[in-house]
Amino acid sequence: MRTARALNPNAAHAADDFPRQVSDLIAWTSRPEHQGIAARPLGPHAPPVWILGSSDYGAQLAAWLGLPYAFAYFFMDGQGVEQALDLYRRLYRPSERHPTPQATICVWALAADDEATAAYHALSRERWRVDRQRGVYGPLRSPEEVQARGFDDADRPMVDAMRRRSFVGTAASVAERLRALAASLDLDELVINTWAHDAQARRHSYRLLAQAFALDTLPPLEVA
Protein backbone atom coordinates (compact mmCIF):
# COMPACT_ATOMS: atom_id res chain seq x y z
CA MET A 1 0.00 0.00 0.00
CA ARG A 2 2.90 2.39 0.59
CA THR A 3 3.92 1.93 -3.04
CA ALA A 4 0.34 2.44 -4.25
CA ARG A 5 -0.01 5.66 -2.25
CA ALA A 6 3.31 6.96 -3.59
CA LEU A 7 2.17 6.33 -7.17
CA ASN A 8 -1.33 7.71 -6.60
CA PRO A 9 -1.64 10.02 -3.58
CA ASN A 10 -5.32 10.58 -4.39
CA ALA A 11 -6.24 6.90 -4.37
CA ALA A 12 -9.16 7.57 -2.01
CA HIS A 13 -10.93 9.32 -4.89
CA ALA A 14 -9.82 6.84 -7.57
CA ALA A 15 -13.29 5.40 -8.18
CA ASP A 16 -14.79 8.87 -8.70
CA ASP A 17 -11.97 9.94 -11.02
CA PHE A 18 -11.66 6.73 -13.01
CA PRO A 19 -14.36 7.38 -15.67
CA ARG A 20 -12.79 10.77 -16.47
CA GLN A 21 -9.32 9.23 -16.59
CA VAL A 22 -10.51 6.58 -19.05
CA SER A 23 -12.12 9.23 -21.23
CA ASP A 24 -8.87 11.20 -21.19
CA LEU A 25 -6.90 8.09 -22.13
CA ILE A 26 -9.18 7.44 -25.10
CA ALA A 27 -8.76 11.05 -26.21
CA TRP A 28 -4.97 10.98 -25.83
CA THR A 29 -4.64 7.80 -27.88
CA SER A 30 -7.08 8.79 -30.63
CA ARG A 31 -6.18 12.44 -31.28
CA PRO A 32 -2.88 14.08 -32.17
CA GLU A 33 -3.23 16.33 -29.12
CA HIS A 34 -5.51 16.50 -26.07
CA GLN A 35 -5.42 19.14 -23.33
CA GLY A 36 -2.19 20.43 -24.81
CA ILE A 37 -0.51 17.01 -24.46
CA ALA A 38 0.60 14.94 -27.45
CA ALA A 39 0.97 11.17 -27.11
CA ARG A 40 4.10 9.76 -28.74
CA PRO A 41 4.92 7.76 -30.74
CA LEU A 42 1.94 7.98 -33.06
CA GLY A 43 0.99 4.79 -34.90
CA PRO A 44 -1.23 4.12 -37.92
CA HIS A 45 -4.23 3.76 -35.60
CA ALA A 46 -5.11 4.32 -31.98
CA PRO A 47 -4.35 1.40 -29.65
CA PRO A 48 -7.46 -0.38 -28.40
CA VAL A 49 -8.54 0.55 -24.88
CA TRP A 50 -9.95 -2.17 -22.64
CA ILE A 51 -11.41 -2.03 -19.15
CA LEU A 52 -9.91 -4.69 -16.89
CA GLY A 53 -11.93 -5.36 -13.76
CA SER A 54 -12.90 -7.90 -11.15
CA SER A 55 -16.20 -6.38 -10.04
CA ASP A 56 -19.51 -5.14 -11.37
CA TYR A 57 -18.19 -1.57 -11.41
CA GLY A 58 -15.70 -2.20 -14.21
CA ALA A 59 -18.28 -4.13 -16.22
CA GLN A 60 -20.81 -1.32 -16.00
CA LEU A 61 -18.24 1.36 -16.84
CA ALA A 62 -17.06 -0.56 -19.91
CA ALA A 63 -20.69 -0.98 -21.01
CA TRP A 64 -21.43 2.74 -20.49
CA LEU A 65 -18.38 3.87 -22.44
CA GLY A 66 -18.80 1.26 -25.20
CA LEU A 67 -15.41 -0.36 -24.57
CA PRO A 68 -14.18 -3.96 -24.60
CA TYR A 69 -14.14 -5.58 -21.15
CA ALA A 70 -11.79 -8.13 -19.59
CA PHE A 71 -12.76 -9.81 -16.33
CA ALA A 72 -9.82 -10.66 -14.04
CA TYR A 73 -10.92 -14.26 -13.49
CA PHE A 74 -7.66 -15.18 -11.76
CA PHE A 75 -8.18 -12.68 -8.91
CA MET A 76 -10.92 -14.72 -7.22
CA ASP A 77 -10.86 -17.92 -9.27
CA GLY A 78 -13.85 -16.79 -11.27
CA GLN A 79 -16.12 -15.59 -8.50
CA GLY A 80 -18.63 -13.13 -9.93
CA VAL A 81 -17.69 -13.66 -13.59
CA GLU A 82 -21.19 -14.62 -14.76
CA GLN A 83 -22.83 -11.58 -13.18
CA ALA A 84 -20.16 -9.18 -14.46
CA LEU A 85 -20.37 -10.44 -18.06
CA ASP A 86 -24.18 -10.41 -17.95
CA LEU A 87 -24.22 -6.79 -16.76
CA TYR A 88 -21.70 -5.79 -19.40
CA ARG A 89 -23.67 -7.35 -22.24
CA ARG A 90 -27.10 -6.17 -21.09
CA LEU A 91 -26.07 -2.58 -20.42
CA TYR A 92 -23.73 -2.16 -23.37
CA ARG A 93 -24.05 1.10 -25.29
CA PRO A 94 -22.62 0.79 -28.83
CA SER A 95 -19.76 3.12 -29.67
CA GLU A 96 -18.36 4.15 -33.04
CA ARG A 97 -15.29 1.94 -32.69
CA HIS A 98 -17.05 -0.92 -30.88
CA PRO A 99 -20.63 -1.30 -32.13
CA THR A 100 -21.03 -4.62 -30.29
CA PRO A 101 -19.77 -5.80 -26.88
CA GLN A 102 -16.41 -7.56 -26.81
CA ALA A 103 -15.55 -9.51 -23.68
CA THR A 104 -12.79 -11.77 -22.49
CA ILE A 105 -11.50 -13.14 -19.20
CA CYS A 106 -7.96 -13.35 -17.82
CA VAL A 107 -7.30 -16.85 -16.48
CA TRP A 108 -4.35 -18.21 -14.54
CA ALA A 109 -3.21 -21.51 -16.09
CA LEU A 110 -0.10 -23.66 -16.02
CA ALA A 111 0.71 -26.60 -18.28
CA ALA A 112 3.61 -29.05 -18.19
CA ASP A 113 4.61 -32.30 -19.85
CA ASP A 114 2.77 -34.30 -17.17
CA GLU A 115 0.29 -33.68 -14.35
CA ALA A 116 2.82 -34.17 -11.56
CA THR A 117 5.24 -31.58 -12.96
CA ALA A 118 2.45 -29.06 -13.44
CA ALA A 119 1.21 -29.58 -9.88
CA TYR A 120 4.77 -29.18 -8.60
CA HIS A 121 5.27 -25.79 -10.25
CA ALA A 122 1.79 -24.65 -9.16
CA LEU A 123 2.91 -24.95 -5.52
CA SER A 124 4.53 -21.51 -5.75
CA ARG A 125 1.24 -19.77 -6.55
CA GLU A 126 -0.65 -21.80 -3.95
CA ARG A 127 1.80 -20.76 -1.23
CA TRP A 128 1.62 -17.12 -2.38
CA ARG A 129 -2.18 -17.12 -2.29
CA VAL A 130 -2.31 -18.68 1.16
CA ASP A 131 0.25 -16.22 2.54
CA ARG A 132 -1.56 -13.27 0.99
CA GLN A 133 -4.82 -14.37 2.60
CA ARG A 134 -3.01 -14.14 5.94
CA GLY A 135 -1.67 -10.68 5.15
CA VAL A 136 1.85 -11.92 4.42
CA TYR A 137 3.19 -10.37 1.21
CA GLY A 138 6.29 -11.39 -0.70
CA PRO A 139 7.66 -12.88 -3.91
CA LEU A 140 6.87 -16.33 -5.24
CA ARG A 141 8.70 -19.04 -3.35
CA SER A 142 10.38 -21.90 -5.17
CA PRO A 143 8.37 -25.12 -5.44
CA GLU A 144 11.22 -26.93 -3.67
CA GLU A 145 10.84 -24.66 -0.64
CA VAL A 146 7.05 -24.92 -0.63
CA GLN A 147 7.14 -28.69 -0.97
CA ALA A 148 9.63 -29.02 1.89
CA ARG A 149 7.55 -26.81 4.17
CA GLY A 150 4.17 -28.19 3.17
CA PHE A 151 0.83 -26.67 4.17
CA ASP A 152 -0.68 -26.48 7.64
CA ASP A 153 -4.01 -28.14 8.41
CA ALA A 154 -5.53 -24.66 8.56
CA ASP A 155 -4.31 -24.01 5.00
CA ARG A 156 -5.63 -27.24 3.54
CA PRO A 157 -9.26 -26.14 2.81
CA MET A 158 -8.06 -23.11 0.83
CA VAL A 159 -5.43 -25.12 -1.04
CA ASP A 160 -7.91 -27.88 -1.88
CA ALA A 161 -10.44 -25.32 -3.15
CA MET A 162 -7.79 -23.68 -5.34
CA ARG A 163 -6.81 -27.03 -6.82
CA ARG A 164 -10.40 -27.92 -7.65
CA ARG A 165 -10.82 -24.68 -9.59
CA SER A 166 -7.32 -24.44 -11.07
CA PHE A 167 -6.26 -24.91 -14.68
CA VAL A 168 -3.17 -26.99 -13.99
CA GLY A 169 -2.05 -30.13 -15.82
CA THR A 170 -1.00 -31.31 -19.25
CA ALA A 171 -1.59 -28.98 -22.18
CA ALA A 172 -4.40 -31.18 -23.48
CA SER A 173 -6.28 -31.27 -20.17
CA VAL A 174 -5.82 -27.56 -19.48
CA ALA A 175 -6.85 -26.59 -23.02
CA GLU A 176 -9.96 -28.77 -22.79
CA ARG A 177 -11.05 -27.09 -19.54
CA LEU A 178 -10.34 -23.63 -20.93
CA ARG A 179 -12.40 -24.35 -24.04
CA ALA A 180 -15.28 -25.53 -21.86
CA LEU A 181 -15.05 -22.38 -19.73
CA ALA A 182 -15.00 -20.13 -22.81
CA ALA A 183 -18.02 -21.93 -24.25
CA SER A 184 -19.97 -21.66 -20.98
CA LEU A 185 -19.37 -17.89 -20.90
CA ASP A 186 -19.94 -17.41 -24.67
CA LEU A 187 -16.41 -16.08 -25.24
CA ASP A 188 -14.36 -16.09 -28.44
CA GLU A 189 -11.03 -15.60 -26.69
CA LEU A 190 -9.21 -15.97 -23.37
CA VAL A 191 -6.16 -14.28 -21.89
CA ILE A 192 -3.82 -16.71 -20.13
CA ASN A 193 -1.63 -15.44 -17.30
CA THR A 194 0.97 -17.74 -15.73
CA TRP A 195 3.05 -17.16 -12.62
CA ALA A 196 5.85 -19.61 -11.95
CA HIS A 197 9.02 -19.34 -9.88
CA ASP A 198 10.94 -21.01 -12.69
CA ALA A 199 10.96 -18.80 -15.78
CA GLN A 200 11.63 -21.82 -17.98
CA ALA A 201 8.53 -23.57 -16.63
CA ARG A 202 6.48 -20.46 -17.37
CA ARG A 203 7.74 -20.20 -20.95
CA HIS A 204 7.26 -23.93 -21.51
CA SER A 205 3.67 -23.66 -20.27
CA TYR A 206 2.92 -20.89 -22.76
CA ARG A 207 4.55 -22.89 -25.54
CA LEU A 208 2.53 -26.03 -24.76
CA LEU A 209 -0.77 -24.14 -24.58
CA ALA A 210 -0.03 -22.23 -27.79
CA GLN A 211 0.53 -25.53 -29.55
CA ALA A 212 -2.58 -27.12 -28.00
CA PHE A 213 -4.85 -24.33 -29.20
CA ALA A 214 -3.17 -23.96 -32.58
CA LEU A 215 -3.85 -27.62 -33.35
CA ASP A 216 -7.56 -26.78 -33.68
CA THR A 217 -7.07 -25.05 -37.02
CA LEU A 218 -3.35 -25.00 -37.81
CA PRO A 219 -0.45 -27.42 -38.05
CA PRO A 220 1.73 -27.65 -34.90
CA LEU A 221 3.49 -24.39 -34.04
CA GLU A 222 7.16 -23.99 -33.33
CA VAL A 223 7.30 -21.36 -30.59
CA ALA A 224 10.67 -19.82 -29.73
Side-chain angles (χ1 to χ4, degrees), residues 23-222:
S23 296
D24 283 342
L25 180 62
I26 295 171
W28 279 320
T29 58
S30 59
R31 304 176 194 167
E33 188 171 310
H34 175 61
Q35 295 184 5
I37 299 172
R40 295 287 187 271
L42 292 176
H45 57 77
V49 176
W50 286 67
I51 297 291
L52 171 65
S54 58
S55 68
D56 294 347
Y57 176 80
Q60 292 177 77
L61 179 61
W64 178 258
L65 295 175
L67 292 174
Y69 175 63
F71 182 85
Y73 190 97
F74 63 91
F75 277 11
M76 297 292 291
D77 290 327
Q79 183 177 341
V81 63
E82 292 89 353
Q83 180 174 329
L85 293 181
D86 177 65
L87 277 171
Y88 171 67
R89 288 162 172 156
R90 282 195 295 106
L91 301 178
Y92 191 79
R93 302 196 317 167
S95 61
E96 182 178 355
R97 187 166 185 182
H98 304 285
T100 59
Q102 182 180 356
T104 189
I105 60 174
C106 305
V107 182
W108 188 89
L110 190 149
D113 294 326
D114 55 71
E115 298 281 346
T117 302
Y120 175 73
H121 287 292
L123 288 170
S124 298
R125 178 179 183 257
E126 292 169 357
R127 179 77 262 171
W128 186 89
R129 289 285 299 274
V130 168
D131 287 346
R132 187 176 179 84
Q133 186 71 17
R134 291 176 169 178
V136 179
Y137 302 97
L140 289 178
R141 300 177 185 272
S142 70
E144 294 91 343
E145 181 183 352
V146 178
Q147 189 176 60
R149 174 183 171 184
F151 292 101
D152 299 336
D153 290 342
D155 300 332
R156 185 54 57 184
M158 182 177 178
V159 173
D160 290 343
M162 274 193 290
R163 290 177 179 175
R164 286 193 298 270
R165 295 191 295 263
S166 69
F167 299 92
V168 175
T170 63
S173 66
V174 172
E176 180 180 4
R177 279 174 276 164
L178 289 174
R179 289 189 191 97
L181 176 63
S184 70
L185 297 174
D186 193 23
L187 298 172
D188 297 323
E189 62 179 327
L190 299 172
V191 177
I192 296 175
N193 183 26
T194 302
W195 316 336
H197 184 268
D198 185 339
Q200 285 285 73
R202 181 172 182 262
R203 285 193 291 268
H204 190 51
S205 175
Y206 284 139
R207 181 182 298 111
L208 290 173
L209 290 174
Q211 291 171 340
F213 279 100
L215 287 174
D216 285 345
T217 55
L218 300 170
L221 284 178
E222 289 296 331

